[in-house]
Amino acid sequence: MGHRLPFVLSPNSKYSFMGSKDGELPAPKRYKRSTGRGCARQTETDSLSRLPYSSCLSPLPVPSSLEHSDEKELGLEPRLHDTPEDIFFEAAVNTIDFHPSRDIIAIGDVDGDVYVYSYSCLEGENKELWSSGHHLKSCRKISFSQDGQRLFTVSKDKSIHILNVEEGRLVIRFSKAHNSALNSLLVIDEHLFATGDDSGVLKIWDLRKGTSIMEMKQHEDYISDMILDRNKKLLLTTSGDGTMGVFNIRRRRFQLLSEPQNGDLMAISLMKRGRKVACGSSEGTIYLFNWDGFGATSDRFALKAESIDCMVPITESIVCTGSTDGIIRAVNILPNRVIGSVGQHMGEPIEQLAKCHMGQYLASCGHDQKVKFWDISSLSSVIVDDYRKKKKNKQLKPLSRKAFGNGEDFFADLKEVAADLEKEENGGLSETDSD
C-alpha cells in the first residue's frame, strides 16, 4: 500500500495537507512515554504534540489549543469557567496533591509516572510543567513539602523519591525503603516524613541523617492513611486490619491500637478542632473517635455508599468522601448528615481527593484516567440544623454545577460513557494495568 499523508488542521481552513504552504502548522508528533528512569522529561505545552497520526480517511478532530489560538487571533478573551478543566491521562491516576501556595497540582499514576501541572479557570490554560518516569511500578502516594520546594513520592516498587519542584530533578532516592510495597506517605516537617507499607510497617525518616529513625509493625495489614495532631506529637494510622494505630513520634514509641472495626479502615481526618477523629471504612461507614479516647468508637455513621476510600476535611464539621461508586459526598459530622453530592466520576472508583491551598477547589482522581476539579466554595457557609427533620430523599442534592442534578453536565457525561462503550466494542480502547 502506498504511504498516506496524514491530515493536520490549520486555523484558516477546515483541512490541509502537511505539505501545504498557506497556514502550515508543525507536523503532529507521536507522544511517547519516556522509558528512561534517570531524568525528568520537559514537555511541550502545545497539545498538538500529543495528537496521533491519522489517515486521510479519518481527519483529526479540532484540538482545543487551535480553537483557543483562533480566539486569541480574533482578539477574544479565553472563556472563564467556575473550575479548571479536567486533565486527561493515559493511565489510571492513583494520587494527587496541591502545592501549598501556588496554583500547581502533582499527579501520580499506575504506570509510575509523575506529572506536575499548573491549573487555571481560563479555558485551555492547564499546562503540563514537567513529568518524571523514575518509578518502575505504580506511584501510590504523592505529597509536596510544606515549603512547596520538594515533591515526595512513594511507589509499589518499594522506593521513595524526592524531586525538585521547579525542574522535576530527582534529588534523593531511597531505592529499597521498605521490604514490602509502599502504600502511604505523610510529610511531618522540613526534616521528617513517615511512610507505611503493605505489610503494616511504619517508618519515620530524618533527611538530616539520610535514614529512618523509627520502625514499628503494629498492624497486621497495609497502612492506608496517616494524619498528625496539631502539636506534631501523635501520628495516627488506619489499616486494612480494621484498626486505628496511635504512635508518639516525639518519644518514638507505640501507644495503642483501637478495637477492630467492620471492614478495612481506608481514610482518616481530624474534625471539630482536633477533638474528633473520623475514619472511613470499606463498608461505607464513618467511625468517630474522641481525642484521647482512641480505644473504642464514640459514634458511627453509615453512608449509602459502597465504601469510603478517601476523605478530606473541608471545614471543622464537613468532610468530603470518595467511594468506589464514583460519587464525592459532602458529609457533616455531628450532627451526622449527608449534605449532598459535590461531583462524580460516572461509576468509576475514586482513588484520592485533595483541597487546593485557597480552599475553593476540590480535585479528585479515579480509574477513568482523569483529574477533575469541583467548586466547594459554598460548603464553608453550610450549617446543618440539629433539630431539622431528616428528609427521606434517595437522590443526593447537587452541591456544584457539575454534580448530578445539573442536566447539561449529566447528559454530557452519559454521551462520554456511550462513546467509551462504542470504542470498547470496536476494540479501540486498551485496558489499563491494575495497581
Side-chain angles (χ1 to χ4, degrees), residues 300-312:
R300 66 186 63 190
F301 177 37
L303 306 184
K304 291 182 179 179
E306 296 177 10
S307 65
I308 299 172
D309 296 327
C310 50
M311 301 170 63
V312 61

Side-chain angles (χ1 to χ4, degrees), residues 34-55:
S34 174
T35 55
R37 302 288 176 182
C39 62
R41 49 182 187 271
Q42 211 74 20
T43 61
E44 301 178 36
T45 57
D46 191 347
S47 62
L48 279 174
S49 62
R50 294 193 175 203
L51 290 175
Y53 278 98
S54 172
S55 69

Side-chain angles (χ1 to χ4, degrees), residues 66-79:
L66 286 183
E67 292 178 352
H68 302 147
S69 65
D70 285 346
E71 290 178 356
K72 291 178 182 177
E73 287 180 6
L74 295 172
L76 301 176
E77 292 293 329
R79 283 174 283 185

Side-chain angles (χ1 to χ4, degrees), residues 15 18 42 53 72 116 125 139 173 204 226 268 287 308 310 343 368 392 423:
Y15 302 110
M18 286 175 54
Q42 211 74 20
Y53 278 98
K72 291 178 182 177
V116 171
E125 291 301 314
C139 178
R173 175 193 284 131
I204 306 295
M226 299 184 284
I268 187 168
Y287 294 96
I308 299 172
C310 50
D368 56 3
K392 293 183 179 180
K423 286 182 180 179

Side-chain angles (χ1 to χ4, degrees), residues 65-108:
S65 59
L66 286 183
E67 292 178 352
H68 302 147
S69 65
D70 285 346
E71 290 178 356
K72 291 178 182 177
E73 287 180 6
L74 295 172
L76 301 176
E77 292 293 329
R79 283 174 283 185
L80 183 67
H81 295 278
D82 293 336
T83 62
E85 295 175 295
D86 297 349
I87 305 175
F88 298 81
F89 295 89
E90 295 181 344
V93 178
N94 274 337
T95 177
I96 51 177
D97 192 37
F98 279 105
H99 192 278
S101 59
R102 297 166 59 188
D103 291 344
I104 291 175
I105 188 170
I107 300 107

Side-chain angles (χ1 to χ4, degrees), residues 230-266:
R230 299 189 177 189
N231 296 321
K232 297 186 177 180
K233 176 185 176 182
L234 296 182
L235 185 145
L236 278 59
T237 58
T238 52
S239 171
D241 62 13
T243 64
M244 180 180 70
V246 183
F247 300 84
N248 189 318
I249 59 174
R250 286 187 183 173
R251 297 186 178 181
R252 300 181 191 176
R253 71 183 187 188
F254 165 71
Q255 283 201 190
L256 61 91
L257 281 182
S258 73
E259 294 177 349
Q261 311 301 324
N262 294 330
D264 302 4
L265 292 187
M266 306 293 293

Side-chain angles (χ1 to χ4, degrees), residues 139-211:
C139 178
R140 288 183 166 179
K141 197 75 174 187
I142 198 167
S143 181
F144 283 100
S145 61
Q146 293 178 346
D147 60 8
Q149 295 182 8
R150 292 174 293 181
L151 185 66
F152 293 72
T153 66
V154 298
S155 171
K156 188 178 178 181
D157 65 13
K158 307 176 186 179
S159 69
I160 302 169
H161 291 168
I162 304 175
L163 300 99
N164 176 281
V165 170
E166 292 300 325
E167 305 168 356
R169 177 172 46 87
L170 182 62
V171 178
I172 299 173
R173 175 193 284 131
F174 299 96
S175 31
K176 295 295 178 183
H178 285 239
N179 293 326
S180 299
L182 285 155
N183 193 62
S184 56
L185 165 71
L186 179 67
V187 176
I188 299 171
D189 58 29
E190 59 181 333
H191 302 299
L192 303 177
F193 67 97
T195 53
D197 68 22
D198 279 356
S199 64
V201 172
L202 170 71
K203 286 188 179 185
I204 306 295
W205 301 80
D206 192 333
L207 292 174
R208 293 166 295 190
K209 297 183 178 180
T211 186

